[in-house]
Every structure is written in C-alpha cells, then in structure tokens.
Coordinates of all heavy atoms in Angstrom, one line a residue:
M1 N 127.2 99.0 95.3 CA 126.2 97.8 95.5 C 126.7 96.7 94.6 O 126.9 96.9 93.4 CB 124.8 98.2 95.4 CG 123.8 97.0 95.6 SD 122.2 97.4 95.2 CE 121.7 98.7 96.3
S2 N 126.8 95.5 95.1 CA 127.2 94.4 94.4 C 126.0 93.8 93.6 O 125.0 93.9 93.8 CB 127.7 93.3 95.5 OG 127.9 92.1 94.6
D3 N 126.4 93.2 92.4 CA 125.4 92.6 91.7 C 125.0 91.3 92.2 O 123.9 90.7 91.8 CB 125.8 92.4 90.1 CG 126.0 93.7 89.4 OD1 125.4 94.7 89.8 OD2 126.8 93.8 88.4
V4 N 125.8 90.6 93.1 CA 125.5 89.4 93.5 C 124.5 89.6 94.7 O 124.7 90.4 95.6 CB 126.7 88.8 94.0 CG1 126.4 87.5 94.7 CG2 127.8 88.5 92.9
I5 N 123.4 88.7 94.8 CA 122.5 88.8 95.9 C 122.8 87.6 96.8 O 122.9 86.4 96.3 CB 121.0 88.7 95.4 CG1 120.8 89.9 94.5 CG2 120.1 88.5 96.5 CD1 119.5 89.8 93.7
V6 N 123.2 88.1 98.0 CA 123.4 86.9 99.0 C 122.2 86.4 99.6 O 121.3 87.2 100.3 CB 124.4 87.4 100.0 CG1 124.7 86.5 101.1 CG2 125.7 87.8 99.4
V7 N 122.0 85.1 99.6 CA 120.9 84.4 100.3 C 121.5 83.8 101.6 O 122.3 82.9 101.5 CB 120.1 83.5 99.5 CG1 119.1 82.7 100.2 CG2 119.7 84.0 98.3
R8 N 121.0 84.3 102.8 CA 121.6 83.8 104.0 C 120.8 82.8 104.6 O 119.5 83.1 104.7 CB 121.8 85.0 104.9 CG 122.6 84.5 106.2 CD 122.8 85.8 107.1 NE 123.4 86.9 106.4 CZ 124.7 87.0 106.2 NH1 125.6 86.0 106.7 NH2 125.2 87.9 105.5
C9 N 121.3 81.6 104.9 CA 120.7 80.6 105.7 C 120.8 80.8 107.1 O 121.8 80.6 107.7 CB 121.3 79.2 105.3 SG 121.4 78.8 103.5
R10 N 119.6 81.2 107.7 CA 119.6 81.5 109.1 C 119.6 80.2 109.8 O 118.9 79.4 109.5 CB 118.4 82.4 109.5 CG 118.6 82.9 111.0 CD 117.4 83.8 111.2 NE 117.8 85.1 110.5 CZ 116.7 86.0 110.4 NH1 115.6 85.9 111.0 NH2 117.0 87.2 109.8
E11 N 120.5 80.1 110.9 CA 120.6 78.9 111.7 C 119.2 78.5 112.3 O 118.6 79.4 112.9 CB 121.6 79.1 112.8 CG 121.9 77.9 113.6 CD 122.8 78.0 114.6 OE1 123.3 79.1 114.9 OE2 123.3 77.1 115.4
N12 N 118.7 77.3 111.9 CA 117.5 76.8 112.2 C 116.4 77.8 112.0 O 115.3 77.7 112.6 CB 117.5 76.6 113.8 CG 118.6 75.6 114.3 OD1 119.0 74.7 113.6 ND2 119.2 75.8 115.5
G13 N 116.5 78.4 110.8 CA 115.4 79.3 110.4 C 115.4 79.4 108.9 O 115.7 78.7 108.2
P14 N 114.8 80.7 108.5 CA 114.5 80.9 107.1 C 115.7 81.2 106.2 O 116.9 81.4 106.8 CB 113.5 82.0 107.2 CG 113.9 82.8 108.3 CD 114.4 81.8 109.3
L15 N 115.4 81.5 105.0 CA 116.5 82.0 104.1 C 116.1 83.5 104.0 O 115.0 83.9 103.9 CB 116.2 81.3 102.7 CG 116.4 79.8 102.4 CD1 116.0 79.4 101.1 CD2 117.8 79.3 102.9
V16 N 117.1 84.2 104.1 CA 116.9 85.6 104.3 C 117.6 86.3 103.0 O 118.7 86.2 102.7 CB 117.4 86.2 105.6 CG1 117.3 87.7 105.6 CG2 116.9 85.6 106.7
L17 N 116.8 87.2 102.4 CA 117.2 87.9 101.2 C 117.0 89.4 101.3 O 116.2 89.8 102.1 CB 116.4 87.5 100.0 CG 116.4 86.1 99.5 CD1 115.2 85.3 100.3 CD2 116.2 85.9 98.0
P18 N 117.9 90.2 100.6 CA 117.6 91.7 100.8 C 116.4 92.2 100.0 O 116.2 92.0 98.8 CB 118.9 92.3 100.2 CG 119.4 91.2 99.2 CD 119.0 89.8 99.8
A19 N 115.5 92.8 100.7 CA 114.3 93.3 100.1 C 114.7 94.4 99.0 O 115.6 95.0 99.3 CB 113.3 93.9 101.1
G20 N 113.9 94.5 98.1 CA 114.2 95.4 97.0 C 115.1 95.1 95.9 O 115.3 95.9 94.9
R21 N 115.7 93.9 96.1 CA 116.6 93.5 95.2 C 116.1 92.2 94.5 O 116.7 91.7 93.5 CB 118.1 93.2 95.7 CG 118.5 94.6 96.3 CD 120.1 94.6 96.4 NE 120.7 94.3 95.2 CZ 121.9 93.6 95.3 NH1 122.5 93.2 96.4 NH2 122.6 93.2 94.2
V22 N 115.0 91.7 94.9 CA 114.6 90.4 94.4 C 113.0 90.6 94.3 O 112.4 91.4 94.9 CB 114.8 89.2 95.3 CG1 116.3 89.0 95.5 CG2 114.1 89.4 96.7
R23 N 112.5 89.7 93.4 CA 111.0 89.5 93.3 C 110.8 88.1 93.6 O 111.4 87.2 93.1 CB 110.6 89.9 91.8 CG 110.7 91.4 91.5 CD 110.5 91.7 90.0 NE 109.2 91.1 89.5 CZ 109.0 90.2 88.5 NH1 110.0 89.9 87.8 NH2 107.8 89.9 88.2
I24 N 109.7 87.9 94.3 CA 109.4 86.5 94.6 C 108.1 86.2 93.8 O 107.1 86.9 94.1 CB 109.0 86.3 96.2 CG1 110.2 86.8 97.0 CG2 108.7 84.9 96.4 CD1 111.5 86.0 96.7
V25 N 108.1 85.2 92.9 CA 107.0 84.8 92.1 C 106.6 83.5 92.4 O 107.3 82.6 92.8 CB 107.3 85.0 90.5 CG1 107.7 86.5 90.3 CG2 108.4 84.1 90.2
D26 N 105.2 83.2 92.1 CA 104.7 81.8 92.2 C 105.0 81.0 91.0 O 105.7 81.6 90.1 CB 103.2 81.9 92.5 CG 102.4 82.3 91.4 OD1 102.8 82.5 90.2 OD2 101.2 82.8 91.6
H27 N 104.4 79.8 90.9 CA 104.8 78.9 89.7 C 104.2 79.4 88.4 O 104.7 78.9 87.4 CB 104.4 77.5 90.1 CG 103.0 77.2 90.2 ND1 102.2 77.7 91.2 CD2 102.0 76.8 89.3 CE1 101.0 77.4 91.1 NE2 100.7 76.9 89.9
Q28 N 103.3 80.4 88.4 CA 102.6 81.0 87.3 C 103.5 82.3 86.9 O 103.0 82.8 85.9 CB 101.3 81.1 87.4 CG 100.6 79.8 87.6 CD 99.1 79.9 87.6 OE1 98.6 81.0 88.0 NE2 98.3 78.9 87.4
G29 N 104.4 82.6 87.7 CA 105.0 83.9 87.3 C 104.5 85.2 88.0 O 104.9 86.2 87.8
N30 N 103.3 85.0 88.9 CA 102.8 86.2 89.5 C 103.6 86.4 90.8 O 103.9 85.6 91.5 CB 101.3 85.8 89.8 CG 100.5 85.4 88.6 OD1 100.6 86.2 87.7 ND2 99.8 84.3 88.5
E31 N 103.6 87.8 90.9 CA 104.5 88.3 92.0 C 103.9 88.3 93.3 O 102.7 88.9 93.5 CB 105.2 89.7 91.7 CG 106.2 90.2 92.6 CD 106.8 91.4 92.1 OE1 106.6 91.7 90.9 OE2 107.6 92.0 92.8
F32 N 104.3 87.8 94.3 CA 103.9 88.0 95.7 C 104.2 89.4 96.2 O 105.3 89.8 96.0 CB 104.6 87.0 96.7 CG 104.2 85.5 96.5 CD1 104.9 84.7 95.9 CD2 103.0 85.0 97.2 CE1 104.5 83.3 95.6 CE2 102.6 83.8 97.1 CZ 103.4 82.9 96.3
P33 N 103.2 90.0 96.8 CA 103.4 91.4 97.5 C 104.3 91.0 98.6 O 104.2 90.1 99.4 CB 102.1 91.8 98.0 CG 101.1 90.7 98.0 CD 101.7 89.6 97.0
L34 N 105.4 92.0 98.8 CA 106.3 91.8 99.9 C 105.9 92.6 101.1 O 105.2 93.7 100.9 CB 107.7 92.3 99.2 CG 108.3 91.5 98.2 CD1 109.6 92.1 97.7 CD2 108.4 90.0 98.5
P35 N 106.2 92.2 102.1 CA 105.9 92.9 103.4 C 106.5 94.3 103.3 O 107.7 94.4 103.0 CB 106.6 92.1 104.5 CG 106.8 90.8 104.0 CD 107.1 91.0 102.6
P36 N 105.8 95.4 103.5 CA 106.2 96.8 103.4 C 107.2 97.2 104.6 O 107.0 96.6 105.7 CB 105.0 97.6 103.4 CG 104.0 96.8 104.1 CD 104.3 95.4 103.9
G37 N 108.1 97.9 104.4 CA 108.9 98.6 105.3 C 110.0 97.6 105.9 O 110.5 97.9 107.0
K38 N 110.2 96.5 105.3 CA 111.3 95.5 105.8 C 112.6 95.7 105.0 O 112.4 95.9 103.7 CB 110.7 94.2 105.7 CG 109.5 93.9 106.5 CD 109.7 93.1 107.7 CE 108.5 92.9 108.6 NZ 108.7 91.9 109.6
D39 N 113.7 95.5 105.5 CA 115.0 95.5 104.8 C 115.3 94.2 104.2 O 116.0 94.0 103.3 CB 116.2 95.9 105.8 CG 116.0 97.3 106.2 OD1 115.4 98.1 105.4 OD2 116.6 97.7 107.3
N40 N 114.7 93.1 104.8 CA 115.0 91.5 104.4 C 113.7 91.0 104.3 O 112.6 91.2 104.8 CB 115.8 91.0 105.5 CG 117.2 91.6 105.6 OD1 117.9 91.7 104.7 ND2 117.6 92.0 106.8
I41 N 113.8 89.9 103.4 CA 112.7 89.0 103.1 C 113.0 87.5 103.7 O 114.3 87.3 103.5 CB 112.3 88.9 101.6 CG1 112.0 90.3 101.1 CG2 111.3 87.8 101.4 CD1 112.0 90.2 99.4
A42 N 112.3 87.0 104.6 CA 112.5 85.6 105.1 C 111.6 84.7 104.3 O 110.4 84.7 104.4 CB 112.3 85.8 106.5
L43 N 112.2 83.7 103.8 CA 111.6 82.6 103.0 C 111.6 81.3 103.9 O 112.8 81.0 104.4 CB 112.2 82.3 101.6 CG 112.0 83.5 100.6 CD1 112.8 83.1 99.4 CD2 110.7 83.9 100.4
C44 N 110.5 80.6 104.0 CA 110.4 79.5 104.7 C 111.2 78.3 104.2 O 111.1 78.2 103.1 CB 108.8 78.9 104.9 SG 108.7 77.5 105.9
R45 N 111.9 77.6 105.1 CA 112.6 76.4 104.5 C 112.2 75.3 105.5 O 112.8 74.1 105.4 CB 114.1 76.6 104.3 CG 114.9 76.8 105.6 CD 116.4 76.9 105.3 NE 117.1 77.2 106.4 CZ 118.3 76.7 106.7 NH1 118.7 75.7 106.0 NH2 118.9 77.1 107.8
C46 N 111.3 75.5 106.4 CA 111.0 74.4 107.4 C 109.7 73.7 106.9 O 109.4 72.5 107.4 CB 110.8 74.8 108.8 SG 109.3 75.7 109.2
G47 N 108.9 74.3 106.1 CA 107.8 73.7 105.5 C 106.5 74.0 106.4 O 105.4 73.5 106.0
Q48 N 106.6 74.6 107.5 CA 105.5 74.8 108.4 C 104.8 76.2 108.4 O 103.7 76.3 109.1 CB 106.0 74.6 109.8 CG 106.6 73.1 110.2 CD 105.6 72.0 109.8 OE1 104.4 72.0 110.3 NE2 106.0 71.0 108.9
S49 N 105.4 77.0 107.7 CA 104.7 78.4 107.7 C 103.4 78.4 107.2 O 103.1 77.7 106.1 CB 105.6 79.4 106.8 OG 105.0 80.6 106.6
Q50 N 102.5 79.1 107.5 CA 101.1 79.3 107.2 C 101.1 80.5 106.0 O 100.0 80.7 105.5 CB 100.1 79.6 108.2 CG 100.0 78.5 109.3 CD 99.6 77.2 108.6 OE1 98.6 77.1 108.0 NE2 100.4 76.2 108.9
T51 N 102.2 81.1 105.8 CA 102.2 82.2 104.9 C 103.3 81.9 103.8 O 104.0 82.9 103.4 CB 102.4 83.5 105.6 OG1 103.7 83.4 106.2 CG2 101.4 83.8 106.5
K52 N 103.5 80.8 103.5 CA 104.4 80.3 102.4 C 104.3 81.1 101.1 O 103.1 81.5 100.8 CB 104.4 78.8 102.0 CG 104.7 77.8 103.1 CD 104.6 76.5 102.6 CE 104.7 75.4 103.8 NZ 103.4 75.2 104.3
P53 N 105.4 81.7 100.6 CA 106.7 81.2 100.7 C 107.5 81.9 101.9 O 108.6 81.7 102.1 CB 107.4 81.4 99.5 CG 106.7 82.7 98.9 CD 105.2 82.5 99.3
F54 N 106.8 82.7 102.6 CA 107.4 83.6 103.6 C 107.4 82.8 105.0 O 106.5 82.0 105.3 CB 106.6 85.0 103.7 CG 106.7 85.6 102.5 CD1 105.5 85.8 101.7 CD2 107.9 86.3 101.9 CE1 105.5 86.5 100.4 CE2 107.8 86.9 100.7 CZ 106.6 86.9 100.0
C55 N 108.3 83.1 105.6 CA 108.4 82.5 107.0 C 107.5 83.3 108.0 O 107.4 84.5 107.9 CB 109.9 82.9 107.6 SG 110.2 82.5 109.3
D56 N 106.9 82.6 108.8 CA 105.9 83.2 109.8 C 106.4 82.9 111.2 O 105.7 83.2 112.3 CB 104.5 82.7 109.6 CG 104.3 81.3 109.9 OD1 105.1 80.6 110.3 OD2 103.0 80.9 109.9
G57 N 107.6 82.4 111.4 CA 108.2 82.1 112.8 C 107.8 80.7 113.3 O 108.2 80.2 114.3
S58 N 107.1 79.8 112.5 CA 106.7 78.5 112.8 C 107.9 77.6 113.0 O 107.8 76.6 113.7 CB 105.7 77.9 111.8 OG 104.5 78.5 111.8
H59 N 109.1 77.9 112.3 CA 110.1 77.0 112.5 C 110.6 76.9 114.0 O 111.2 75.9 114.4 CB 111.3 77.5 111.8 CG 111.8 79.0 112.0 ND1 111.1 80.1 111.5 CD2 112.6 79.5 112.9 CE1 111.8 81.2 111.9 NE2 112.7 80.8 112.9
R60 N 110.3 77.9 114.8 CA 110.8 77.8 116.3 C 110.0 76.7 117.0 O 110.4 75.9 117.7 CB 110.5 79.1 116.9 CG 111.5 80.3 116.4 CD 111.3 81.6 117.2 NE 111.8 82.7 116.4 CZ 110.9 83.4 115.8 NH1 109.5 83.3 115.9 NH2 111.3 84.5 115.1
A61 N 108.5 76.8 116.7 CA 107.6 75.9 117.4 C 107.8 74.4 117.0 O 107.6 73.6 117.7 CB 106.2 76.3 117.1
C62 N 108.2 74.2 115.6 CA 108.3 72.8 115.1 C 109.8 72.3 115.4 O 110.1 71.2 115.1 CB 108.0 72.8 113.7 SG 109.3 73.4 112.5
G63 N 110.6 73.1 115.9 CA 112.0 72.6 116.2 C 112.7 72.3 114.9 O 113.7 71.5 115.0
F64 N 112.6 73.2 114.0 CA 113.3 73.0 112.6 C 114.9 72.9 113.0 O 115.3 73.9 113.7 CB 113.0 74.0 111.7 CG 113.7 74.0 110.5 CD1 113.6 72.8 109.6 CD2 114.7 75.0 110.2 CE1 114.5 72.9 108.5 CE2 115.4 75.0 109.0 CZ 115.3 74.0 108.2
Q65 N 115.6 72.1 112.5 CA 117.1 72.1 112.6 C 117.6 72.3 111.2 O 117.3 71.5 110.2 CB 117.5 70.7 113.0 CG 117.0 70.3 114.5 CD 117.7 71.1 115.5 OE1 119.0 71.2 115.7 NE2 116.9 71.9 116.2
G66 N 118.4 73.2 111.0 CA 119.1 73.6 109.8 C 120.3 74.5 110.0 O 120.2 75.7 110.1
A67 N 121.4 73.9 110.2 CA 122.6 74.5 110.7 C 123.8 74.3 109.8 O 124.9 74.3 110.3 CB 122.8 74.5 112.1
N68 N 123.5 73.6 108.6 CA 124.5 73.2 107.7 C 125.5 74.3 107.2 O 125.0 75.4 107.0 CB 123.9 72.6 106.4 CG 122.9 71.5 106.6 OD1 121.9 71.8 107.4 ND2 123.2 70.3 106.3
L69 N 126.8 74.0 107.3 CA 127.7 75.1 106.9 C 128.3 74.8 105.5 O 128.4 73.6 105.1 CB 128.9 74.9 107.9 CG 128.6 75.2 109.4 CD1 129.8 75.1 110.3 CD2 128.0 76.8 109.5
A70 N 128.6 75.8 104.9 CA 129.1 75.7 103.5 C 130.5 75.3 103.6 O 131.2 75.3 104.7 CB 129.2 77.1 102.8
P71 N 131.0 74.5 102.6 CA 132.4 73.9 102.7 C 133.4 75.1 102.9 O 133.2 76.2 102.3 CB 132.6 73.2 101.5 CG 131.3 73.2 100.7 CD 130.4 74.1 101.4
A72 N 134.3 74.8 103.6 CA 135.4 75.9 103.8 C 136.1 76.1 102.3 O 136.2 75.3 101.6 CB 136.7 75.3 104.7
P73 N 136.4 77.4 102.0 CA 137.0 77.7 100.7 C 138.4 77.2 100.6 O 139.1 76.9 101.5 CB 137.0 79.3 100.8 CG 136.9 79.7 102.1 CD 136.2 78.6 103.0
Ligands
LIG101 S1 111.4 78.8 108.4 FE1 110.3 80.1 109.4 S2 108.4 79.3 109.3 FE2 109.6 78.0 108.1

C-alpha cells in the first residue's frame, strides 16, 4: 500500500478518497462519522449537497460541470 493518498476528481461530480485512510474533520478538528461499509468517501465540490462535506448526489440535479484535466506530465 502506498503512503500517497490519491484524491480523484470525478467528472462533473465529487472528490473521491479511499475510506479507511483518511479522517474528515470540521473546522474545530472534530471528526465526521464516515458512512459505514463503503470503500470510498465522496466529498462535495458542487456546493449543493445537503450533507456537506459529503456528496449526496445533488451535483447531478444542479448540472455541476467539473471536468478539468491535470496538465500532461
Ligand atoms: S459533488 Fe455531489 S452533491 Fe456536490
């Protein structure tokens, strides 16, 4: 297992991180409980989720566009 945690920008959707390898905390350092039984955590980047910081699928209804590509190496 690599020490590097990869955060994947899903096309027109959330940021996806591997569950079990990260802790998500609020601005006071308190940890959000993570959804049980999931291999990945999806963080909202459209701003429309009702369960921030987690994605609730609202990006589909609001038509969020986010398909930026990283620069070629
Ligand atoms: S990215 Fe999914 S609700 Fe915002």
Side-chain angles (χ1 to χ4, degrees):
M1 180 183 302
S2 171
D3 289 340
V4 175
I5 296 172
V6 175
V7 179
R8 185 174 306 278
C9 303
R10 189 173 288 169
E11 184 176 5
N12 303 326
L15 302 174
V16 179
L17 305 88
R21 300 199 52 213
V22 297
R23 295 172 52 231
I24 308 297
V25 299
D26 65 18
H27 66 283
Q28 296 181 339
N30 299 310
E31 189 168 350
F32 285 95
L34 300 178
K38 301 252 184 175
D39 292 336
N40 294 307
I41 299 164
L43 297 179
C44 178
R45 66 177 176 136
C46 75
Q48 299 302 309
S49 175
Q50 298 302 302
T51 60
K52 292 182 192 84
F54 303 104
C55 170
D56 69 356
S58 294
H59 57 271
R60 291 185 210 99
C62 75
F64 175 67
Q65 298 288 303
N68 304 61
L69 297 175

